[in-house]
Amino acid sequence: MFRPIPPEIASRIEEDKEARKRRIEPAEHAAYAAKPKVYRLYKSSKMGSMQPSSSLLLDLEEPSSTSSEEEISSVSVKKTSKVSAESPLRFFTLGCQGNAKSAQIMVANLMEQVASQSDAPPDFILILGDNFYDWGVDAPDNPMFQTNFHAIYQNPKLGTISKIPCFVILGNHDENLHKLGVLEAEKGVSRGMHQVAHTYLPRTKKYPTTESLQQLYRSHTDDEVVDLDLDNLPSWNMPSRTYSLISGDTQIFCIDSNTYVSDYLKMIAGDENPYNQAIWVAEEVRKAKESGRKVLLALHHPPVTPGKRAFHNDISLYLSKQEIASEAFNSCFGKLMHEHSVSYNTLMLETFKQQKLVFDAIFAAHDHDIYYYNNKESRDMEYPVCQITSGGGGGGLQERESFDQQQDMGCFLKRHGFTVVDCPQGDRPLHFNICTVPKSQTDRAFHLHFDSADHRPYRTYPKEMLKEEKEATEQFCRVVEIALYRYLGEFLGPRQKREKGSFLGTSPISGNVSHGKDGVERAHTIWAYICQAHGDSLLNTLKTVHSLSRWGGTFTSPTAHSFITLLNAEIEKKYGKGMNMDRLIETVEKQQRNERRFF
C-alpha cells in the first residue's frame, strides 16, 4: 500500500535539493565561463623555479659513469646517458583508468612505489581521459568523483602521490561518445563540462567558494598567462576543456580531442572565434616555438594507433552527419575517405598535418595498452611523430590489430601501468620510463626506457658483467628483434591490412588456425623483455626467450611463418648451420662450464 511521504521529510528533501542546487550551479556557471589559458607552473616551496629532478630509485637507477659506446654492440640499443641532472620537470602520465577496479588501484600503488622511492617525485600527474566509465558523470558532485578519483589518488595510504596535483583532460567516455552512448541521453560537450565544473566545486578549506577557485585559475578573465603554484593546487585540475602548462622551456597543450576535428572544420568554414580549439592551439604553439620552448601535446585519441581502431570507422561518434557531408570535410579529408575505412584517430593526424603542427612529443590514451611510436628516423617519414600511449591506467586491456608501423615502434605492452616523463632543459631529448604491473603473481613487471630522439630503448647491465657477455647478449637480442620484425611487421602486417584486421584468430573460415592473438601477445612479451631497461645475463636471456617462444599449440604445429620458426632461422643465419634455440643454450652452458669465450 502506497504511503505518502510525511510533510516534514518532504520539506527536508526539498531543502537538500535547493542546497545542492545553490552549491553546484555556481560551479557549472564557472565552467562555462572558463576560457583557455596558459598556466606557468612554479612551486612556492622552491621560490619560483622547478628544482632539478634526480634519478628514480625504483629499478631506474643511473648507469655507471665508466660505461662506453663499445659496451653495447647492437644498433638497436642506445648507450644510457644521465637524464636527471638538469630535468626541471617530471610528471607521470596515464589514461583510460576510471573504473575504480583493482587494476586502477594497482597502477596507483605502483605510482606511489616509484614516487616514494625517488628523491624527486613527479611535479604533477597528467591524466589523459576516460576518467569515469562508461558514460562520464551527470553532475559536478557525482559520487564517482569520490570513488573513481579522490578515493584512489588521494588515498592517505599513498603518502606521496596523494599530495601531488593531477591535471586532467577529457576522453570519449567522459563525453559519452561510444557505441553504447545511446544508453545515456546526455552526450558531447555538455557531458564533459560537468568534469570542468568539478574543478570549481568547493571541496577544501583553502578554496571554500567557487569564486576563490575562479580566482586561482583566473579562468574567467582575459589574462593570457596565469601563474599556478603546484604546492597549493587542489588534487583535481581541469580549469577548462583546453589549457596549456609551462615549466621551464617545456610547454604542454592539453586539449579535448573529442571536438578538435569539428573545431578545425569550423575554422576551415570561416569561424574566427579565438577560443576555437584549432585556432587557439595553433596560435599558442606558434608563440611557444618562437619563445624556444619544447612543445608537447596531451590528448585522449592517439593520432597513430595500432589498436582496434586501426580498421574501424568511428568518425560518426564525433562528427555530425552535416559535418561529414560538408564542403569543409570533403576538402580536408575527401581523399582519405576514398582510400579505406578511416578512424577518427586518422582524422586527428591529418588535421595536425594540415595545420603544420609538429610536437616534440605526444601523450595519448584511448587504446587500452602502453606503446611507444617514433618515426623520426624513418626513411619515408613525411610527418614526424613521437607518441607515447599510456592507456593502461585501469580499464580492460585491448589487442593490437595493426602491424604496419612495426619498424617505428619501440614497444607494445598489453598491460596496465603508466609512464614517467622527464623534460631536461635545452636541446636534450625527453625521456620516457614505462612502468607496468604484473598480470599475475607469476608474471613479471616491466620497466622500459626510451627518449624522444628515436624508437630505440636504453639498456644497462650489472657492473660486474663482463664486456664480452654484454656484447653477446646484445647480439642475441638483435637477432630476436629481427625475428620479431619478420613476424610482426613482414608477416602479420600485410595480412592484417589485407583482411582489415580479421586475419588473427582461430577460425577455419579465414584460413588461419596457426596465428592467434595469444601468439602475438607472447611475441610482445619477448619484445618487452629484450628491451627492458636493465638487461639480464646472457644465459638467462636465452632461457627466457626460449621459454616464451616455445610453441604452445596442442593440435597444431609451427608453420613457416610462426615466430619460433623465424627465430630459429635468424639464429642459424647468425651463429651457423644447424644452430637453433635449444643448441644455442647448450653451447653457452658448455662455454660457461669450460670458462671459454662467448661465441
Side-chain angles (χ1 to χ4, degrees), residues 495-545:
R495 286 160 178 80
Q496 277 286 90
K497 186 174 183 179
R498 184 181 65 232
E499 299 193 24
K500 298 180 180 179
S502 63
F503 176 74
L504 287 173
T506 56
S507 171
I509 298 174
S510 69
N512 168 35
V513 295
S514 298
H515 301 282
K517 294 178 180 179
D518 288 345
V520 171
E521 176 60 14
R522 287 197 302 274
H524 285 151
T525 302
I526 292 168
W527 188 15
Y529 173 73
I530 66 169
C531 290
Q532 62 184 346
H534 297 279
D536 221 335
S537 70
L538 175 60
L539 190 57
N540 283 346
T541 300
L542 291 169
K543 288 182 175 180
T544 300
V545 171

Side-chain angles (χ1 to χ4, degrees), residues 155 186 248 263 561 589:
N155 184 342
E186 185 183 38
D263 291 334
H561 299 290
E589 287 178 329

Side-chain angles (χ1 to χ4, degrees), residues 184-199:
E184 177 64 48
E186 185 183 38
K187 61 176 55 182
V189 171
S190 64
R191 190 72 169 180
M193 289 301 288
H194 298 306
Q195 296 189 36
V196 179
H198 186 70
T199 303

Side-chain angles (χ1 to χ4, degrees), residues 138-299:
D138 59 1
D141 62 346
N142 188 291
M144 284 200 293
F145 280 105
Q146 178 61 29
T147 57
N148 296 30
F149 179 82
H150 293 292
I152 294 174
Y153 302 116
Q154 282 190 290
N155 184 342
K157 293 181 180 179
L158 307 183
T160 302
I161 70 164
S162 63
K163 300 180 180 69
I164 295 171
C166 297
F167 287 99
V168 192
I169 64 175
L170 293 166
N172 62 302
H173 282 270
D174 299 313
E175 294 190 4
N176 194 26
L177 302 172
H178 54 104
K179 63 184 180 181
L180 296 179
V182 294
L183 299 178
E184 177 64 48
E186 185 183 38
K187 61 176 55 182
V189 171
S190 64
R191 190 72 169 180
M193 289 301 288
H194 298 306
Q195 296 189 36
V196 179
H198 186 70
T199 303
Y200 299 98
L201 193 68
R203 302 185 307 278
T204 65
K205 293 181 179 179
K206 185 176 292 185
Y207 301 106
T209 64
T210 293
E211 289 74 16
S212 63
L213 288 161
Q214 282 186 296
Q215 187 63 29
L216 171 67
Y217 300 106
R218 306 289 296 165
S219 55
H220 59 301
T221 70
D222 292 327
D223 297 346
E224 293 185 1
V225 181
V226 177
D227 291 334
L228 272 188
D229 181 3
L230 289 170
D231 289 330
N232 288 289
L233 287 181
S235 56
W236 172 281
N237 297 272
M238 191 192 293
S240 55
R241 289 192 305 120
T242 307
Y243 56 95
S244 186
L245 309 171
I246 294 177
S247 176
D249 65 355
T250 300
Q251 185 163 352
I252 308 170
F253 287 85
C254 303
I255 70 171
D256 178 4
S257 54
N258 295 304
T259 66
Y260 194 89
V261 174
S262 178
D263 291 334
Y264 177 63
L265 293 174
K266 290 182 176 71
M267 183 189 79
I268 295 298
D271 183 13
E272 297 181 354
N273 180 356
Y275 299 127
N276 173 309
Q277 274 194 112
I279 296 173
W280 187 83
V281 169
E283 175 62 15
E284 294 302 324
V285 166
R286 182 190 64 78
K287 293 178 184 177
K289 292 195 172 186
E290 286 180 355
S291 300
R293 288 192 285 271
K294 297 185 185 74
V295 176
L296 317 183
L297 176 67
L299 77 171

Side-chain angles (χ1 to χ4, degrees), residues 16 31 55 92 113 138 168 196 234 280 302 309 353 386 445 469 523 575 579:
D16 290 343
S55 61
F92 292 175
Q113 187 180 0
D138 59 1
V168 192
V196 179
W280 187 83
R309 294 159 184 96
K353 285 182 181 179
C386 168
E469 184 177 0
Y575 300 112
M579 193 66 79

Side-chain angles (χ1 to χ4, degrees), residues 229-438:
D229 181 3
L230 289 170
D231 289 330
N232 288 289
L233 287 181
S235 56
W236 172 281
N237 297 272
M238 191 192 293
S240 55
R241 289 192 305 120
T242 307
Y243 56 95
S244 186
L245 309 171
I246 294 177
S247 176
D249 65 355
T250 300
Q251 185 163 352
I252 308 170
F253 287 85
C254 303
I255 70 171
D256 178 4
S257 54
N258 295 304
T259 66
Y260 194 89
V261 174
S262 178
D263 291 334
Y264 177 63
L265 293 174
K266 290 182 176 71
M267 183 189 79
I268 295 298
D271 183 13
E272 297 181 354
N273 180 356
Y275 299 127
N276 173 309
Q277 274 194 112
I279 296 173
W280 187 83
V281 169
E283 175 62 15
E284 294 302 324
V285 166
R286 182 190 64 78
K287 293 178 184 177
K289 292 195 172 186
E290 286 180 355
S291 300
R293 288 192 285 271
K294 297 185 185 74
V295 176
L296 317 183
L297 176 67
L299 77 171
H300 185 68
H301 299 80
V304 177
T305 175
K308 69 177 186 179
R309 294 159 184 96
F311 302 103
H312 178 50
N313 188 331
D314 59 352
I315 63 175
S316 61
L317 293 174
Y318 305 96
L319 300 174
S320 67
K321 291 180 180 179
Q322 292 77 13
E323 286 175 315
I324 295 172
S326 69
E327 182 179 339
F329 183 91
N330 185 58
S331 66
C332 294
F333 309 122
K335 290 183 180 180
L336 283 176
M337 300 304 294
H338 289 305
E339 292 177 2
H340 51 77
S341 180
V342 174
S343 71
Y344 184 72
N345 304 66
T346 303
L347 297 190
M348 288 293 306
L349 179 63
E350 182 62 22
T351 297
F352 294 140
K353 285 182 181 179
Q354 292 182 17
Q355 287 191 282
K356 295 181 172 58
L357 293 176
V358 177
F359 302 94
D360 293 279
I362 295 173
F363 305 100
H366 201 39
D367 292 333
H368 294 197
D369 315 282
I370 303 176
Y371 57 87
Y372 181 53
Y373 172 86
N374 190 323
N375 69 353
K376 291 182 178 180
E377 289 194 337
S378 180
R379 293 177 183 177
D380 56 353
M381 184 269 292
E382 297 179 358
Y383 176 77
V385 176
C386 168
Q387 174 187 297
I388 189 147
T389 302
S390 304
L397 298 172
Q398 298 171 348
E399 308 287 348
R400 180 182 180 185
E401 295 197 5
S402 172
F403 303 88
D404 285 353
Q405 310 284 359
Q406 180 65 24
Q407 72 276 9
D408 298 318
M409 296 280 289
C411 67
F412 186 97
L413 297 105
K414 184 185 170 185
R415 289 168 182 268
H416 293 109
F418 70 101
T419 303
V420 184
V421 182
D422 278 290
C423 304
Q425 290 276 29
D427 296 331
R428 300 170 67 191
L430 289 84
H431 284 255
F432 315 119
N433 283 279
I434 294 171
C435 305
T436 72
V437 297

